[in-house]
Amino acid sequence: MSLISSQIAQHEQKARTMCLSAVQHIDKIPISGWFSDFLEQSVLPPLVRIGFDRKIVDSIFRISAPAWELLSSSAASKLKLHPVLARYVQETRQDVVFRPNNWIVLPRAHSFLTKRDSLCLIVYLHYLNSVANIAYEKVLLRILTEFIGNFSLKFISSSLPEKKAIEVVFYGYAAMFWKNLQQPPSGLEDSLIFKNYLSWARAYKKRMPLKDPEKDSIIAEMEEMENKILPDQKGYSLVINKNHNAGDLHITLRHGLPGINHAVQHFTKKNILLCDCSHDHLSCRKLPRKINTLFRELRNSYDQETPRTREFIQAFLMELSNAYRPHFVSLNLSKQNVPDNITFTKRRMAYMVQDFRQSLH
C-alpha cells in the first residue's frame, strides 16, 4: 500500500472508530419491525451502492428513527402522497443540465426541514433507481447525502444524548468521505461522491454556534487530502505551489474522467509542451523523475485495481502518449529556440510513456 493510501486508510479508521464509539454510548434504539424491514430491504441496499457504509448509515437512521417512522408502511408504497415533491424531482431530472438551480427547491437544507419531509426519502430513492441522466444522477447523489445527514441531525430522538448522536453523524460522514476518496463505487467514479461528504461537513461547521477544534481539524484534514487527490479548479494553483507529489495521482485515476483529466493536465500543461519551464513544480528537468514516481505507484497497484480503474489508467496513458508522441513533440520544438537538453527531455518523456504503456499489456 502506498503512503498516501495508508494515510487515507488511517483517517478512515479513526473516523469510523469515533463514530462507532459514539454509537456504543447510545442505548439500544428500539425501532418498529416495519421500519427495520424497510431499512434492510428498500433503503440500505441502494445507499450502499452509491457509497454509504451500511453499518454507519444504519446507525444514522436509528438515531432519528421516530421522525423517519412517520413514513409509515402505507406511505412507503404511495409516492403520490407527496405530489409536489415528485413534480420537482421530475423537473430536475428533465432540466438539470439547462436549469441547474432547480434542485435547490428540493427539501434537504437543515433549517427548512420538517418531519413530514421524511417522505422525500421514498421519492429520492425511487428516482435514484430509475435515473438515466448522469448530470441529474450527480445532483441526486448530493441531495441524498445532504438530506439524510441534515434530517437525522435535526430530528435526533429525544431519548438520546444529543452530543453522542451528533458524533455518530459527523464522524460517520467523515469516514464515508475517506472511504469514497480511496475507492469510489463502481460505475459512479465520475460523480466524485467524496466531495458531497466534505460539502456537508463544511455546511455543518458554518451552522455551529461555537467552534469545535476537533471537528475543525478533521474537516481541515479532509480539505488537505482533497487538494492532494483531486482539487477543485480553484484549488489547482495551491497544489502547484506545494510541489504536488505525482505519486498521489494513482488514486486520482480511480475517479473516472475528472481524475484522468486532472492527471493529464498535471503533466501536459500548455506551458510545458511549449517548453516554458518557469514553473518549478513541473520544470522540464523534473518531468522524468515525477512521471517515474507515478509509474512506480501504478505498477505496484495495477493488479489490485478494479477493472474500471485499469481502464482509466490505460486511457490516461493513451492521452499522455498522444500529447508526447515524438512527431508531435518534434513539431512543437522545431518552432522554438529551445536548449538541446529540453528537447531531449521532451522526447525522453514520450518514450517513457510509450514503454510503460506497453509494459502493462
Side-chain angles (χ1 to χ4, degrees), residues 35 54 67 72-73 82 88 91 97 170 182 223 236 256 263 274 281 289 301 313 317 323 355:
F35 186 59
R54 176 179 285 270
S72 80
S73 57
H82 212 310
Y88 282 147
E91 289 175 356
V97 175
F170 179 85
Q182 179 84 279
E223 292 174 331
Y236 190 69
L274 296 178
H281 77 293
R289 185 172 72 245
S301 66
I313 292 171
L317 293 173
D355 289 346

Side-chain angles (χ1 to χ4, degrees), residues 349-360:
M349 284 287 293
Y351 289 112
M352 287 174 67
V353 173
Q354 180 180 345
D355 289 346
F356 181 73
R357 185 182 172 199
Q358 292 175 347
S359 73
L360 292 180

